[in-house]
Amino acid sequence: VNLGRGLYKIKLTSEAERKVVQARELLDTIVKENKVVYGITTGFGKFARTVIPVSKLKELQENLVRSHSAGLGNPLSPERTRMLLALRINVLAKGHSGISLETLLAMIQAFNASCLSFVPEKGTVGASGDLAPLSHLALGLMGEGKMWSPKSGWADAKYVLEAHGLKPVSLKPKEGLALINGTQMITSLGAEAVERAQAIARQADIIAALTLEVLKGTTKAFDSDIHALRPHPGQIEVAQRFRSLLDSDHHLSEIAESHRFCDRVQDAYTMRCCPQVHGIANDTIKFVQDIINVEINSATDNPMVFAERGETISGGNFHGEYPAKALDFLAIAVHELASISERRIERLCNPSLSELPAFLVNEGGLNSGFMIAHCTAAALVSENKVLCHPSSVDSLSTSAATEDHVSMGGWAARKSLRVVEHVDVLCVRLLPFVVNSEEVCRVLQDPNAEVLAMGDI
Ligand SMILES: *[C@@H]1O[C@H](CO)[C@@H](O)[C@H](O)[C@H]1NC(C)=O
Ligand SMILES: *[C@@H]1O[C@H](CO)[C@@H](O)[C@H](O)[C@H]1NC(C)=O
Ligand SMILES: *[C@@H]1O[C@H](CO)[C@@H](O)[C@H](O)[C@H]1NC(C)=O
């Protein structure tokens, strides 16, 4: 994510350089000896058995990139394209793709200068990797199509590269394939979704605790002995955070003090069960983070070049089922944080549940308070419920039934980000505003009102 923000430049280690050069040497030998190897001296997909003459190997790779640049929709933002480029460079730097050092360095120069290709967000089935988006990424580097840089804005790729003193990449045998067969769009968007989900999860605990305080709930349900008997890491951690945020012997809350002797034994689930519900969201984000971490540091290319064995081997590392499933699951988990939050907004706005002024506003009627802000929350949560239908349960056979099972991970990644964006709006922007509203503070601080000042959480 930090690479995406443009906070870093990229440099190859000498170890990576050595591996890249060795793998390329093997590839050059294969070409010289006229061996038949998938994607190097043959067509692609269904055309895997069509052998291509050596004189046309460069054209073969250029045709591949041009014909596969068939995506559509809005372009990825510069931040997201930068992540995509960084991840593709990382794959190639592992030295199993057979890219030449020259081409890899040209990509790094483009990254360093923020010369970013036009990459439309739609059109990957996420099985033979993210073919369309990665082809668009490669196309720009070849000096074709559009490109963006901070200096030039959007312009023809050829001129953008020229303006930065860079030469368009001239593809050698296999290099087109090396640039496009992998899961980097799914995983770059996935990395952003995970990062933002973590920030939301932290906020969600704090906001829920604050809501419980305002609604005069009890802290009994967060007793460590209860959670020790069901020791899921997320649940334990969230309960512990609630204990540290809410009334305790060390940190007395005046609000809690004001209703210490009330007859309430337990609260509604949206408050009482936060450790259990937020807990699994927390654990799921961790689970997804681990999968994305492995994925962004993997070689997902095909065929793979093993210089030390003197072999190239066709495999299936480009298949996106891992990140696709993980990101479907991430959306489901993060959605729950908003789903339970929306119910708490209802409890805050509904006077029969809150014992606070309706919609938390003075002179209700003249003022509508948070009446419609609650509707916004309900609409976002409802939209997320549709977006949480997992995309990876789908698959459509492509490439004349050779690529007959695909992950649909591109959509899993894009919609996990959309769910995260909605939850972000609701949990991180809207809800703190509601809980902290002037009216809540006024009522809670009014010495004649039923409750006293807020605790210092
Ligand atoms: C990516 O690799 C797989 C596995 O060999 C292959 O089936 C697919 O055709 C490749 N993609 C392209 C564009 O060649
Ligand atoms: C990219 O920038 C870094 C930092 O300035 C530099 O060390 C590296 O050599 C550059 N890489 C290329 C290929 O220009
Ligand atoms: C819960 O989320 C926080 C914040 O992202 C993280 O630091 C912590 O490791 C997570 N806990 C577990 C058990 O995954």
Side-chain angles (χ1 to χ4, degrees):
V1 171
N2 282 336
L3 284 160
R5 291 187 188 128
L7 300 182
Y8 298 104
K9 308 251 189 245
I10 293 177
K11 184 175 186 299
L12 277 188
T13 62
S14 48
E15 165 78 355
E17 260 183 42
R18 188 180 57 75
K19 282 186 165 169
V20 167
V21 169
Q22 277 178 352
R24 186 66 210 178
E25 277 166 4
L26 175 63
L27 239 137
D28 288 340
T29 313
I30 289 171
V31 174
K32 227 176 277 160
E33 292 174 355
N34 254 323
K35 283 194 189 141
V36 176
V37 178
Y38 174 76
I40 303 173
T41 51
T42 73
F44 309 102
K46 182 69 180 169
F47 294 126
R49 293 191 186 166
T50 309
V51 178
I52 311 292
V54 173
S55 62
K56 297 205 162 161
L57 292 186
K58 180 172 160 57
E59 193 182 335
L60 172 71
Q61 299 300 321
E62 288 171 352
N63 287 347
L64 171 72
V65 172
R66 289 181 189 134
S67 67
H68 285 44
S69 293
L72 81 163
N74 294 326
L76 297 179
S77 64
E79 289 75 21
R80 289 176 184 169
T81 310
R82 234 189 246 109
M83 289 196 285
L84 183 67
L85 180 55
L87 286 188
R88 196 64 212 167
I89 289 169
N90 194 41
V91 169
L92 298 173
K94 294 194 172 298
H96 290 286
S97 305
I99 194 96
S100 66
L101 187 59
E102 186 189 356
T103 300
L104 183 52
L105 289 177
M107 291 174 77
I108 298 175
Q109 281 174 348
F111 179 93
N112 279 355
S114 280
C115 290
L116 304 169
S117 307
F118 181 97
V119 181
E121 62 178 7
K122 294 185 194 178
T124 171
V125 291
S128 290
D130 294 320
L131 291 174
L134 287 168
S135 293
H136 283 277
L137 187 75
L139 193 69
L141 297 169
M142 285 163 57
E144 299 180 26
K146 298 277 176 210
M147 191 174 242
W148 181 94
S149 85
K151 193 153 100 180
S152 62
W154 286 111
D156 286 338
K158 205 171 128 202
Y159 298 116
V160 177
L161 290 172
E162 210 177 278
H164 290 269
L166 303 178
K167 277 211 219 76
V169 164
S170 165
L171 296 180
K172 301 178 197 35
K174 209 259 178 184
E175 288 199 327
L177 194 53
L179 290 173
I180 69 174
N181 216 334
T183 60
Q184 285 69 44
M185 187 177 99
I186 308 177
T187 39
S188 57
L189 299 187
E192 181 184 334
V194 166
E195 176 99 353
R196 293 178 67 175
Q198 282 172 338
I200 291 170
R202 276 192 290 272
Q203 287 268 29
D205 288 349
I206 297 168
I207 298 161
L210 189 52
T211 309
L212 181 128
E213 180 87 338
V214 165
L215 291 172
K216 295 189 266 173
T218 166
T219 56
K220 291 198 182 80
F222 312 121
D223 191 301
S224 55
D225 284 345
I226 292 182
H227 299 280
L229 294 175
R230 197 195 191 205
H232 293 298
Q235 177 176 334
I236 295 273
E237 187 171 318
V238 175
Q240 190 265 327
R241 299 184 82 191
F242 269 66
R243 288 196 302 276
S244 73
L245 287 164
L246 292 167
D247 176 67
S248 68
D249 294 343
H250 309 293
H251 294 285
L252 287 176
S253 146
E254 287 175 58
I255 296 180
E257 201 51 46
S258 75
H259 59 88
R260 185 164 305 283
F261 303 107
C262 72
D263 53 5
R264 219 180 294 172
V265 200
Q266 53 181 28
D267 295 313
Y269 289 2
T270 51
M271 293 187 280
R272 197 194 333 157
C273 303
C274 279
Q276 290 80 1
V277 176
H278 287 202
I280 179 65
N282 195 308
D283 285 346
T284 302
I285 296 167
K286 178 80 174 59
F287 169 76
V288 176
Q289 182 185 24
D290 289 347
I291 288 188
I292 297 289
N293 265 342
V294 172
E295 190 70 15
I296 64 184
N297 291 298
S298 296
T300 55
D301 201 354
N302 188 73
M304 314 249 317
V305 182
F306 293 93
E308 60 280 13
R309 287 172 56 169
E311 268 185 284
T312 65
I313 310 177
S314 270
N317 279 3
F318 50 81
H319 199 294
E321 203 68 35
Y322 260 97
K325 285 270 181 289
L327 293 170
D328 276 339
F329 196 14
L330 181 75
I332 291 171
V334 174
H335 156 68
E336 209 55 50
L337 295 173
S339 174
I340 194 168
S341 278
E342 182 278 332
R343 290 292 78 207
R344 284 189 222 112
I345 295 182
E346 155 78 353
R347 298 196 84 81
L348 286 162
C349 287
N350 183 339
S352 61
L353 299 172
S354 68
E355 298 169 21
L356 290 164
F359 306 108
L360 306 176
V361 77
N362 199 5
E363 289 192 76
L366 178 63
N367 299 313
S368 299
F370 288 102
M371 188 186 285
I372 305 305
H374 172 227
C375 292
T376 303
L380 289 172
V381 169
S382 177
E383 208 172 311
N384 279 354
K385 288 179 187 177
V386 174
L387 290 173
C388 280
H389 175 79
S391 63
S392 68
V393 295
D394 192 25
S395 173
L396 284 168
S397 173
T398 54
S399 196
T402 35
E403 302 172 9
D404 57 348
H405 179 276
V406 305
S407 73
M408 300 299 178
W411 176 225
R414 281 169 48 227
K415 72 189 182 54
S416 77
L417 264 177
R418 261 164 72 178
V419 169
V420 163
E421 273 158 13
H422 290 159
V423 178
D424 197 36
V425 168
L426 198 151
C427 286
V428 180
R429 308 218 191 120
L430 180 61
L431 196 54
F433 193 53
V434 175
V435 182
N436 243 331
S437 70
E438 235 174 81
E439 189 58 9
V440 171
C441 296
R442 191 189 68 77
V443 171
L444 292 179
Q445 286 170 350
D446 180 351
N448 302 318
E450 299 224 297
V451 290
L452 302 171
M454 286 225 258
D456 61 341
I457 63 174

